[in-house]
Amino acid sequence: MPTHAQEKGAIKIGLMLPYKGVYAVPAESIDRGFQIALEEFGNKSNGRPIEIVRADDELTPSVGVQKFNKFVQSDKVDLVAGVVGSNVAIAISELADKNKMPTVFVNAFADEITGKFCSPYIARTSFSANGFEYASGKYWAGKGVKTAVTMGPDYSAGRAFIGGFKRGFEDNGGKVIEEIWTPFQKTKDYSAALTQAANSGAQIIYAFYAGAEAIQVVKQHADFGLRTKIPFIGDHWVYDEALWPALGDLALNAQHVATHYPSIETEVNQKFVKAYNAKYKQDPDVSAALGYDNGKAIMLTLQKLDGQMPEDRAKFIATMRDLTFDSPRGKIKFNAQNSALLEKVYVVEVVKGPDGKMQRKPLDQFPGAGDLPGCTKSF
Amino acid sequence: MSADAILSSEEGVGALKRLAPPVSRRAYAALFALFTVGLCALPSFVSGYVTTLAVEVMIAGVFASGINLLTGYTGLVSLGQAMFLGFGGYGIAIGTALLGWPLWISAPVTLVVVAAIAAAIGAICTRTRGVEFLLITLAFSQMFYGAAIKLRWTNGSDGMTGIPRPDLSLLGVSADNPTVFYYYVLVVAVLSLLMLWRIVTSPFGSVLVGIRENERRMMSMGYAVANYKIGSFALAAVICAVAGILQSQYTYFVNPDAMSWQMSGEGVLMVIIGGANVILGPFVGAAVFVVVKQALSMITEEYNLFFGIFFMLVVAFFRGGVLGSISTLIGKRQ
């Protein structure tokens, strides 16, 4: 395969994240994790320095499209990384495909991203919603929970996560008796939804929320005195480390599924946690780990390509698909739709450690479920 | 009494003289020609990104022109025009992606359907005036926005992808190329503008201006004011839908954001910045709007705050918008 004339200048990576708004907290962690990964490679690939161009997609598809165009036409980036919101990811998928721009999503968990909207120019280094939440549904059904009411923000990722939980829960004998959707990014008041959930007669509320929205929902759930009536169960975004200072004791004893937590005892994870702690004086949360994986996957792919972007840029993603590497959350492998698979899903409990600080205690673990099928584009 | 009759009557001429911009028609044609030539040459001496920005400006300009017909010429301030922007985008998305029609069928069908829906909505909305009109258009727009978010067959809040650009392979070029797409948008924008110019300089347009200035008087002269208002509403909607089609082709994508009331508000801002009831006003407004916002967002993250200040300055110092105040200046000299 011919490559561009051996380029010596910097490799430009466009990093698109929602630095403001409800996902500002995860966005910052991702950016930090991404930088840790690049530093591990000395911010260079085969002698070529790596340059990051940042853009804020404001978690809004139209803004994301605009920033993506700027990346391609003004900044002339070699590839695009980042993207948290599945809504933004869907909006730029077609553009990435038409512009033949390798795009490596850091989050964008909705099943459709590498399903209905899949493209040979797109990869996802995180996982699919189904791969993650299916295990959660299975776990809670196995714990004797028979009925649940779900709550989530009404957009692609919210629906995908709740859908994954529902499949896992109902395949194992549970029943979701009501699904409640709240407007994404447009509300800070969850009282109506929480009241409806409390009156549903279900044993638990199962929810997906992240960032500022997660803080608001968990606090309002406690304010309405529902903690004793109907437990509020979520995943590692609802009870994210980065939110612990805001949640305080509300996060204590929360049991949830996680793909990563700082005390996983693998060499790769301990090294990552140490590097992160040294640079930012705090433990990494799951978003930081995902940001790290995103950066590492890109750097390893560039390494395999001798620091050059191939003429046929789909080859960049094809090369990434052949990667297998150790990440803080386990082994990363890609499937035929260019989405990373989950090796392990942990079930953990937030407890107070011997030092009085909050930490996670492992309870159980599952293999991640597969992606939902659906990619129709040929590779 | 026909429109021509009123215009040739002494009162009519007097009224028109007061209302017409103080620049001659010939000067306008020259300005318009200069504008077009300049835009034709643009891609050859600027970077690809500036071309893309120009595409955004032109699309916003077409959208704002639709609002201008309604707001600037007819005097009906609407906060619901994004509804028709969305209809344009969703129209071709549904036509091409869901029904599998080719683009050259989807686009005209979309415009005809939009005209019909707009006439129906307009028939209800134009029974009110002033703030009530503003609120009822907003209410309609929010209703469709809500539907767009909830509907599963249009992918709800995720929107629809895979919207095709025109197939220009007959000309030996691909509309996926930014420069080619630029010229395509330019052609559509110029055609829309010419159509708008034809409308507002026609007797029909004079009646609209008359309605803006003194609705009761037009009524007492025997004009079916209600029908003229509905006509203006439907035509404005079609122009906004054209912008919607271009917008969705530009991004290959449409989602409910296109129909949000903020979008309607931005369109009205563009009209005010550029100058209401001047044909090119909305384009100048769109250019100022897009470029200033872009420039501010490169300087600061809190660009919306500074954009608000900028807007206040424009309103305070440029009466009648940028173009409006320029033509007033020229008029004073003459």
Side-chain angles (χ1 to χ4, degrees):
Chain A
M1 189 64 67
T3 56
H4 281 294
Q6 292 291 307
E7 288 181 41
K8 291 276 182 278
I11 298 169
K12 274 192 178 179
I13 301 178
L15 184 60
M16 193 188 287
L17 292 170
Y19 290 100
K20 286 192 308 249
V22 295
Y23 285 175
V25 174
E28 164 131 40
S29 294
I30 289 169
D31 195 316
R32 289 173 165 187
F34 195 84
Q35 289 185 54
I36 297 274
L38 264 54
E39 274 167 26
E40 230 178 82
F41 293 81
N43 287 310
K44 277 194 172 78
S45 182
N46 284 52
R48 289 180 69 187
I50 308 284
E51 188 187 328
I52 304 180
V53 188
R54 288 180 172 79
D56 186 344
D57 59 36
E58 299 175 23
L59 213 53
T60 307
S62 53
V63 178
V65 164
Q66 209 171 27
K67 296 293 161 78
F68 188 87
N69 277 325
K70 182 170 166 289
F71 274 161
V72 175
Q73 285 158 359
S74 174
D75 302 322
K76 308 241 181 268
V77 300
D78 292 292
L79 63 127
V80 174
V83 183
V84 171
S86 297
N87 52 348
V88 177
I90 290 171
I92 67 174
S93 287
E94 187 91 13
L95 274 182
D97 198 73
K98 288 276 197 288
N99 284 292
K100 302 190 190 316
M101 174 58 67
T103 301
V104 187
F105 292 139
V106 64
N107 284 31
F109 306 102
D111 298 294
E112 298 95 325
I113 304 287
T114 53
K116 197 161 76 190
F117 302 113
C118 70
S119 152
Y121 294 94
I122 286 172
R124 170 169 65 197
T125 57
S126 51
F127 47 84
S128 70
N130 191 63
F132 178 47
E133 294 278 358
Y134 189 92
S136 186
K138 193 174 165 185
Y139 175 78
W140 288 107
K143 282 280 155 191
V145 178
K146 290 274 166 265
T147 52
V149 50
T150 61
M151 269 177 72
D154 191 2
Y155 81 116
S156 41
R159 290 195 170 263
F161 277 115
I162 295 297
F165 167 80
K166 191 177 170 184
R167 275 186 291 276
F169 190 59
E170 297 195 335
D171 283 356
N172 292 281
K175 174 101 188 85
V176 172
I177 53 177
E178 205 167 337
E179 292 179 47
I180 300 170
W181 303 105
T182 55
F184 180 47
Q185 279 187 293
K186 300 222 161 51
T187 185
K188 290 186 164 66
D189 178 12
Y190 297 92
S191 50
L194 285 166
T195 311
Q196 193 185 339
N199 293 337
S200 68
Q203 285 168 276
I204 60 165
I205 301 175
Y206 192 84
F208 163 74
Y209 286 97
E213 293 195 333
I215 299 175
Q216 286 148 6
V217 181
V218 172
K219 284 200 161 162
Q220 286 175 26
H221 175 259
D223 287 348
F224 296 149
L226 296 177
R227 276 170 74 81
T228 48
K229 202 174 163 200
I230 179 166
F232 191 87
I233 292 168
D235 54 29
H236 58 5
W237 280 289
V238 177
Y239 297 107
D240 192 277
E241 268 95 348
L243 309 181
W244 286 356
L247 290 177
D249 281 349
L250 294 182
L252 264 187
N253 302 324
Q255 295 181 3
H256 60 84
V257 287
T259 53
H260 175 263
Y261 55 100
S263 50
I264 294 177
E265 282 170 356
T266 59
E267 199 186 321
V268 183
N269 184 51
Q270 290 311 316
K271 193 177 144 204
F272 166 65
V273 172
K274 215 173 137 194
Y276 195 92
N277 246 319
K279 190 159 183 199
Y280 301 111
K281 313 279 175 266
Q282 68 183 72
D283 279 347
D285 60 357
V286 60
S287 299
L290 291 170
Y292 174 84
D293 290 346
N294 193 242
K296 190 162 177 179
I298 289 170
M299 293 309 290
L300 287 171
T301 308
L302 281 171
Q303 203 172 44
K304 270 190 162 181
L305 294 165
D306 299 325
Q308 302 293 328
M309 181 58 71
E311 189 78 56
D312 172 12
R313 291 191 282 190
K315 202 182 160 221
F316 181 88
I317 299 296
T319 309
M320 181 173 281
R321 199 205 299 180
D322 288 338
L323 282 181
T324 304
F325 67 96
D326 282 316
S327 109
R329 59 191 162 96
K331 210 168 254 340
I332 301 264
K333 261 191 280 191
F334 291 84
N335 67 11
Q337 284 85 39
N338 296 343
S339 177
L341 295 168
L342 273 174
E343 193 192 23
K344 267 181 207 154
V345 178
Y346 303 92
V347 182
V348 297
E349 183 175 3
V350 181
V351 293
K352 270 215 164 86
D355 55 356
K357 279 194 208 153
M358 297 213 283
Q359 62 176 55
R360 290 196 164 106
K361 189 175 89 185
L363 298 176
D364 206 343
Q365 50 176 273
F366 294 88
D371 280 14
L372 297 181
C375 176
T376 48
K377 286 196 183 172
S378 56
F379 286 92
Chain B
M1 196 196 261
S2 77
D4 286 313
I6 173 181
L7 290 177
S8 57
S9 76
E10 208 175 314
E11 281 173 22
V13 173
L16 245 199
K17 271 195 179 150
R18 261 184 288 118
L19 304 177
V23 183
S24 73
R25 192 176 278 196
R26 194 175 293 169
Y28 253 108
L31 187 65
F32 187 67
L34 196 74
F35 204 66
T36 314
V37 171
L39 284 173
C40 281
L42 184 82
S44 51
F45 56 85
V46 296
S47 75
Y49 186 56
V50 175
T51 309
T52 306
L53 270 189
V55 166
E56 284 181 24
V57 168
M58 288 192 292
I59 295 172
V62 173
F63 174 52
S65 294
I67 297 179
N68 196 23
L69 178 64
L70 198 59
T71 303
Y73 287 92
T74 322
L76 297 168
V77 184
S78 154
L79 255 189
Q81 293 310 102
M83 162 169 59
F84 301 114
L85 189 77
F87 282 179
Y90 273 105
I92 58 164
I94 291 168
T96 57
L98 282 184
L99 303 175
W101 297 344
L103 185 63
W104 60 270
I105 294 180
S106 303
V109 168
T110 298
L111 294 182
V112 171
V113 172
V114 167
I117 298 176
I121 295 176
I124 300 167
C125 293
T126 54
R127 297 168 78 94
T128 61
R129 63 183 73 209
V131 178
E132 285 165 20
F133 178 77
L134 186 130
L135 289 179
I136 195 167
T137 49
L138 178 65
F140 265 107
S141 159
Q142 286 299 92
M143 205 170 79
F144 283 104
Y145 173 75
I149 280 198
K150 289 286 171 198
L151 283 180
R152 287 290 147 242
W153 52 278
T154 53
N155 291 331
S157 61
D158 294 342
M160 303 175 75
T161 58
I163 290 169
R165 288 183 180 181
D167 183 6
L168 301 175
S169 52
L170 268 182
L171 304 173
V173 289
S174 160
D176 287 335
N177 179 313
T179 313
V180 174
F181 187 67
Y182 169 88
Y183 283 112
Y184 161 70
V185 173
L186 180 62
V187 168
V188 178
V190 167
L191 287 179
S192 316
L193 215 55
L194 284 175
M195 189 180 99
L196 190 68
W197 178 74
R198 199 65 204 91
I199 293 171
V200 300
T201 52
S202 71
F204 175 79
S206 310
V207 176
L208 295 187
V209 173
I211 292 173
R212 180 190 73 196
E213 291 301 313
N214 194 336
E215 192 175 328
R216 282 195 185 173
R217 187 163 177 185
M218 297 307 281
M219 223 181 280
S220 63
M221 281 171 158
Y223 286 100
V225 167
N227 292 347
Y228 277 93
K229 280 170 51 178
I230 295 170
S232 165
F233 194 89
L235 282 171
V238 168
I239 296 172
C240 291
V242 168
I245 291 177
L246 292 177
Q247 176 68 32
S248 60
Q249 288 182 321
Y250 165 58
T251 55
Y252 302 102
F253 171 77
V254 62
N255 83 338
D257 278 3
M259 305 173 88
S260 64
W261 65 270
Q262 287 94 332
M263 202 61 120
S264 301
E266 286 187 0
V268 174
L269 284 188
M270 288 174 198
V271 172
I272 295 172
I273 290 175
N277 72 57
V278 188
I279 285 276
L280 282 180
F283 274 81
V284 175
V288 171
F289 190 92
V290 172
V291 172
V292 169
K293 212 165 181 182
Q294 189 69 25
L296 284 176
S297 76
M298 282 180 184
I299 301 168
T300 163
E301 284 202 348
E302 305 303 333
Y303 61 89
N304 274 326
L305 170 70
F306 293 96
F307 191 76
I309 295 172
F310 167 80
F311 178 65
M312 282 190 261
L313 292 177
V314 169
V315 173
F317 293 107
F318 290 88
R319 295 200 57 192
V322 174
L323 263 203
S325 50
I326 290 175
S327 64
T328 309
L329 262 183
I330 297 172
K332 268 184 192 158
R333 279 215 190 125
Q334 282 172 348

